[in-house]
Amino acid sequence: MIVQCENVANLKMNACDQNFMKDALAFARAAGACGEVPVGALVVADGRVVGTGFNRREERQSPLAHAEITAIEEASRRLGSWRLNDCDLYVTLEPCIMCAGAILQARIQRLVFGCLDPKAGAVESLYRLCEDQRLNHQLPVIGGVLADESAALLADFFAQLRQQKRDTRKAERWPSPVEGA
Amino acid sequence: MIVQCENVANLKMNACDQNFMKDALAFARAAGACGEVPVGALVVADGRVVGTGFNRREERQSPLAHAEITAIEEASRRLGSWRLNDCDLYVTLEPCIMCAGAILQARIQRLVFGCLDPKAGAVESLYRLCEDQRLNHQLPVIGGVLADESAALLADFFAQLRQQKRDTRKAERWPSPVEGA
């Protein structure tokens, strides 16, 4: 019976997580539409969104303008506290070292992410920072929620970027007759 | 002869590093005067200070308001770029995971820090994040510059904090005759 109850709770939790991840994906798409690497994030307290963010590194020319940092910044401002220990963070891509560190600093209670980042991910791929018992905060991490959608967004973005670069090189090597006249 | 030249270069570098670290210590004192954990930081480009910061977590109620983050934010704004690859960062305390991550994101060319942080330091104590060859940026790290001054500032701050807590508890247990009348 206990196992059954747990399963029901997990199912509910997953449905909720998927809904919030869908919202985070909408923010990721907003980033992509602005020419930024498409990553989106939400901070949720008691089922209510209190912070949102998407990657704006190029627009703001700030190395700090990752989706998670922006969402945490907004949540702290709205809740008037640096302690976000009643908050969950949703992000479409596995957090990097900086963002995992910010999640730990903010005492986020639970992290849900989309797809893995094998080159820079710091909660599963390169490091498992949210589990480090030497630090003064640890938190459960749920990865792989709507991972395919998150990964497809990124793959499409980088494919387009490569195509644009190829087109630019081609145009440089073979200027059109009018331009070259 | 080469060794001698190298030594002279090192001495010059150290004198310069010490001067910038003195400035960073002044910012750390400013943090302490505001009741914040006293940590200060500078970003320096070509011998010119382009960003400064001190810990303001409590004042701003932001988990992101560490000295390094504030200094990087200011430097990026002033230089109009997220790439700070011509910049050195000076900080009085070994950076935490979040700040080491931000240093890597900003492509800082060189990190100079004061004292170690055995509980949370992420460039020497718990992790050596600035040396990780799997990441797309690495940088040289010089630790221990004016370490005693940096450590003394922190030790004094925490000693005062403990004394204040003891005084508060004592006052709660033994109210003064006038207040208790």
Side-chain angles (χ1 to χ4, degrees), chain A residues 57-58 61-64 66 69 72-73 76-77 80-84 96-98 100-102 104-107 119-120 125-129 132 134-135, chain B residues 57-58 61-64 66 69 72-73 76-77 80-84 96-98 100-102 104-107 119-120 125-129 132 134-135:
Chain A
R57 187 176 69 168
E58 300 299 330
Q61 284 299 311
S62 168
L64 313 169
H66 282 197
I69 299 284
I72 287 174
E73 202 169 29
S76 289
R77 204 169 46 238
S81 176
W82 63 262
R83 287 181 191 85
L84 303 180
C96 70
I97 290 170
M98 173 178 73
L104 291 165
Q105 288 294 334
R107 315 284 195 265
K119 288 187 182 173
S125 297
L126 302 186
Y127 293 96
R128 302 181 75 90
L129 295 176
D132 189 337
R134 300 169 302 175
L135 301 171
Chain B
R57 187 177 67 169
E58 300 298 331
Q61 284 297 313
S62 168
L64 313 169
H66 283 199
I69 298 283
I72 287 173
E73 202 170 28
S76 289
R77 206 169 43 238
S81 175
W82 64 261
R83 286 182 192 83
L84 303 180
C96 71
I97 291 170
M98 174 178 72
L104 291 164
Q105 287 294 334
R107 315 285 195 263
K119 288 187 182 173
S125 298
L126 302 186
Y127 293 95
R128 302 182 75 90
L129 294 176
D132 189 337
R134 299 170 302 174
L135 300 171

Side-chain angles (χ1 to χ4, degrees), chain A residues 125-160:
Chain A
S125 297
L126 302 186
Y127 293 96
R128 302 181 75 90
L129 295 176
C130 295
E131 296 171 17
D132 189 337
Q133 296 293 322
R134 300 169 302 175
L135 301 171
N136 60 1
H137 186 65
Q138 297 83 37
L139 66 154
V141 176
I142 298 169
V145 175
L146 302 186
D148 291 345
E149 287 89 329
S150 300
L153 255 184
L154 288 159
D156 287 352
F157 175 82
F158 287 112
Q160 271 184 30

Side-chain angles (χ1 to χ4, degrees), chain A residues 7-34:
Chain A
N7 280 344
V8 171
N10 281 340
L11 280 172
K12 275 185 189 166
M13 186 184 72
N14 287 338
C16 224
D17 285 345
Q18 289 201 353
N19 284 338
F20 284 125
M21 192 59 81
K22 276 182 194 164
D23 293 343
L25 276 163
F27 282 98
R29 277 184 211 103
C34 300

Side-chain angles (χ1 to χ4, degrees), chain B residues 139-150:
Chain B
L139 66 155
V141 176
I142 299 170
V145 176
L146 303 187
D148 292 345
E149 288 88 330
S150 300

Side-chain angles (χ1 to χ4, degrees), chain B residues 77-98:
Chain B
R77 206 169 43 238
R78 285 182 68 175
L79 301 177
S81 175
W82 64 261
R83 286 182 192 83
L84 303 180
N85 43 345
D86 291 329
C87 297
D88 296 344
L89 190 138
Y90 292 81
V91 58
T92 55
L93 177 68
E94 184 188 359
C96 71
I97 291 170
M98 174 178 72

